[in-house]
Short mmCIF file of all heavy atoms in Angstrom, two decimals:
data_model
loop_
_atom_site.label_atom_id
_atom_site.label_comp_id
_atom_site.label_asym_id
_atom_site.label_seq_id
_atom_site.Cartn_x
_atom_site.Cartn_y
_atom_site.Cartn_z
N PHE A 322 7.55 20.76 29.00
CA PHE A 322 8.03 20.25 27.72
C PHE A 322 8.20 21.40 26.74
O PHE A 322 7.33 22.27 26.65
CB PHE A 322 7.00 19.30 27.09
CG PHE A 322 6.77 18.03 27.84
CD1 PHE A 322 5.80 17.96 28.82
CD2 PHE A 322 7.51 16.89 27.55
CE1 PHE A 322 5.57 16.78 29.52
CE2 PHE A 322 7.28 15.71 28.24
CZ PHE A 322 6.31 15.64 29.23
N THR A 323 9.26 21.38 25.99
CA THR A 323 9.37 22.32 24.87
C THR A 323 8.47 21.80 23.75
O THR A 323 8.07 20.63 23.77
CB THR A 323 10.80 22.39 24.32
OG1 THR A 323 11.14 21.10 23.79
CG2 THR A 323 11.80 22.79 25.39
N MET A 324 8.21 22.65 22.78
CA MET A 324 7.38 22.22 21.65
C MET A 324 8.03 21.03 20.94
O MET A 324 7.35 20.07 20.58
CB MET A 324 7.18 23.40 20.70
CG MET A 324 6.23 23.12 19.58
SD MET A 324 4.56 22.72 20.14
CE MET A 324 3.79 24.32 19.97
N ASP A 325 9.35 21.08 20.77
CA ASP A 325 10.02 19.96 20.09
C ASP A 325 9.87 18.66 20.87
O ASP A 325 9.69 17.59 20.29
CB ASP A 325 11.50 20.28 19.87
CG ASP A 325 11.69 21.28 18.73
OD1 ASP A 325 10.73 21.47 17.95
OD2 ASP A 325 12.77 21.89 18.64
N GLU A 326 9.94 18.78 22.20
CA GLU A 326 9.76 17.57 23.01
C GLU A 326 8.34 17.04 22.87
O GLU A 326 8.11 15.83 22.78
CB GLU A 326 10.05 17.87 24.49
CG GLU A 326 11.51 18.01 24.82
CD GLU A 326 11.74 18.48 26.25
OE1 GLU A 326 10.93 19.27 26.78
OE2 GLU A 326 12.73 18.06 26.85
N LEU A 327 7.39 17.97 22.87
CA LEU A 327 5.99 17.55 22.72
C LEU A 327 5.80 16.84 21.39
O LEU A 327 5.14 15.80 21.31
CB LEU A 327 5.03 18.74 22.82
CG LEU A 327 4.80 19.34 24.21
CD1 LEU A 327 3.91 20.57 24.10
CD2 LEU A 327 4.18 18.33 25.16
N ILE A 328 6.37 17.42 20.35
CA ILE A 328 6.23 16.81 19.02
C ILE A 328 6.83 15.40 19.02
O ILE A 328 6.25 14.45 18.51
CB ILE A 328 6.89 17.69 17.92
CG1 ILE A 328 6.09 19.00 17.77
CG2 ILE A 328 6.97 16.95 16.59
CD1 ILE A 328 6.74 20.05 16.89
N ALA A 329 7.98 15.26 19.67
CA ALA A 329 8.64 13.95 19.67
C ALA A 329 7.88 12.93 20.53
O ALA A 329 7.79 11.77 20.18
CB ALA A 329 10.07 14.11 20.16
N ARG A 330 7.32 13.39 21.66
CA ARG A 330 6.80 12.41 22.62
C ARG A 330 5.29 12.19 22.58
O ARG A 330 4.78 11.26 23.18
CB ARG A 330 7.17 12.85 24.04
CG ARG A 330 8.66 12.99 24.15
CD ARG A 330 9.19 12.56 25.46
NE ARG A 330 10.41 13.31 25.68
CZ ARG A 330 10.76 13.84 26.81
NH1 ARG A 330 9.99 13.70 27.86
NH2 ARG A 330 11.88 14.53 26.92
#
Side-chain angles (χ1 to χ4, degrees):
F322 294 90
T323 63
M324 186 61 97
D325 285 343
E326 285 173 326
L327 286 176
I328 292 171
R330 302 217 207 138

